[in-house]
Structure formats: C-alpha cells, structure tokens
Amino acid sequence: MSGHHHHDHGPGGHCHDEGHDHSDDITPALQSLLYSQIQFEMVSTLNESVSRAGAAILQKPWTERLSEQPELESDADEQLLMHIPFAGQVKLHSLLIYTAPTPSAPKTLKLFKNRNDIDFSMASDLKPTQTIEVPQPVPGTDVFELPLSRASWNATTSITLFFEDNWGDEEITKIGYLGFKGQFMALNREPVSVMYEAAANPSDHVAIQGVHGIGGRIMPGQ
C-alpha cells in the first residue's frame, strides 16, 4: 500500500505539480475566459489608427497576450471607443488588459452596458455603468485583472469601453490585449430545448422504469 502511495506522489510528480500550480496563478480557467462568446466580426472601434486593430487585440490567444503585435493605437487623439457584442448574455466578473509600460498606456476607462449607440460626445456625457482607473504598467507587468462590480454586469449582451485618457498626456493611447472573465448565460430558449431533447432521448429511458406515458418527466424522489 505504501509503495503504491509513493508511486503516486513521487518527487517527479510533485515537482511537476508545483510548476503547474504556479502558472495557474495568472492563467484564467478556460471556462471563465469569455473568448468564444465575443462576436469579433461585430466589434467596432472608433479612432483606431489601423482598421480592425481593436478586434485583433481581442482575438489574441491568451498565450500571446504580451506579444507586441497586433496593437491597438489611437489615431487623431488619445481617446478610443470600443463596442464589443457577445453571442448571448454574460455575467462579467473582470476585465483583463495588457499595455506596454509606456506613457501611452490607458488610464481612465469608462464602461457602458448594453448600448450600441455611443459616440465620443455621448461617452463624455453619459453616466457610465462603471469607471475604472487602469493601473500604470511598469516593466515586467503582466495582464492586469480589473474586477468589475458584479451586480452591474448581469445579463450583459454588449460592453462599450471608452478609454478617455492615458498616463502620459500623450496624443496616442496604445493597448496590447483585452479579454473578459465571467459566466456565459445561454439565451432563455436554449436551455429549454436542450432539456427537452435530453428528456426525449431514448437512451435516457433505458435505466428508468415506468417513465413512458408521463412525457419523460421525472419528479424528484421517483
């Protein structure tokens, strides 16, 4: 018995586990990263210097979050306005952002929920759902995970990010990576049809006696 135990928890395995746990400190659980729920082709960014750069930094895989390109850069002035629609309803928990440690790193970020009509003049006047100050990055900084007020971000179908200024009073704001953590909520009709299909699946009835004739519904305790 003890020999078996030793085999399971040998020094090699232990060492490997330690390394694995350490990397998980920053790496988000895959199911909480809302990457596949972003409708990339419908992302719009106002004042981006290169067309589709806003969508490109959202599409960066997590493993490439610190890569220099693509990078979103503002054009006429320091402000950027991004509209990001989701494929359904999400509950947002936090925003993930990486910017290189330069004076062009964004500072004030105003977030608006479920609005697809915001332009720069509206963004300055409207009361945001939440305002965040993005910390100033220093050399060696990884992604910042900025918690969102969860009560404000239930049933989110889109988010608009207004980057109002940056840390250096620069004319150009630069952002390297953006992501979101949260929970994806299927649209109301989806779980219903899924449950119905599961109930109607003949293989579900094999081990259950007396189910037929009551529409496949099992009451608790039966």
Side-chain angles (χ1 to χ4, degrees):
M1 191 73 180
S2 63
H4 181 67
H5 181 80
H6 179 74
H7 176 72
D8 277 355
H9 301 278
H14 184 68
C15 194
H16 172 76
D17 287 348
E18 268 185 358
H20 184 70
D21 289 347
H22 179 69
S23 69
D24 278 352
D25 293 346
I26 178 81
T27 304
L30 208 55
Q31 66 271 23
S32 70
L33 199 61
L34 293 170
Y35 186 86
S36 60
Q37 276 74 47
I38 296 172
Q39 295 190 289
F40 296 111
E41 70 286 353
M42 293 171 67
V43 169
S44 63
T45 309
L46 300 183
N47 199 37
E48 57 184 357
S49 62
V50 176
S51 176
R52 306 302 297 157
I57 64 164
L58 279 166
Q59 278 183 284
K60 272 188 189 179
W62 171 254
T63 49
E64 291 172 31
R65 63 194 182 278
L66 308 184
S67 62
E68 289 181 15
Q69 292 296 331
E71 187 174 50
L72 171 60
E73 203 172 287
S74 65
D75 188 22
D77 59 22
E78 76 281 12
Q79 297 189 338
L80 284 161
L81 189 62
M82 291 184 75
H83 176 68
I84 303 167
F86 297 102
Q89 289 191 359
V90 297
K91 288 184 180 181
L92 294 178
H93 297 167
S94 58
L95 171 74
L96 304 164
I97 184 168
Y98 172 75
T99 63
T102 73
S104 296
K107 184 179 181 184
T108 309
L109 170 57
K110 294 182 175 175
L111 303 171
F112 301 88
K113 173 183 168 183
N114 299 356
R115 296 286 298 249
N116 62 359
D117 57 344
I118 296 180
D119 57 22
F120 281 109
S121 60
M122 285 178 71
S124 301
D125 297 342
L126 268 183
K127 185 180 187 306
T129 310
Q130 188 171 353
T131 302
I132 289 176
E133 181 172 289
V134 182
Q136 187 167 18
V138 296
T141 307
D142 202 305
V143 164
F144 289 125
E145 179 171 2
L146 308 175
L148 297 178
S149 160
R150 294 199 183 191
S152 303
W153 296 98
N154 287 332
T156 302
T157 53
S158 74
I159 185 169
T160 302
L161 290 74
F162 174 41
F163 293 94
E164 195 165 36
D165 54 20
N166 54 41
W167 280 98
D169 293 324
E170 300 285 312
E171 282 294 292
I172 294 175
T173 297
K174 296 181 182 182
I175 303 162
Y177 172 86
L178 271 178
F180 299 92
K181 279 168 76 169
Q183 289 171 284
F184 180 64
M185 318 300 291
L187 295 173
N188 286 340
R189 62 181 178 274
E190 285 178 16
V192 176
S193 66
V194 169
M195 274 160 38
Y196 174 76
E197 281 153 22
N201 184 341
S203 66
D204 289 346
H205 300 313
V206 172
I208 305 167
Q209 299 305 311
V211 168
H212 297 290
I214 58 164
R217 270 178 250 163
I218 318 285
M219 300 308 291
Q222 278 193 337

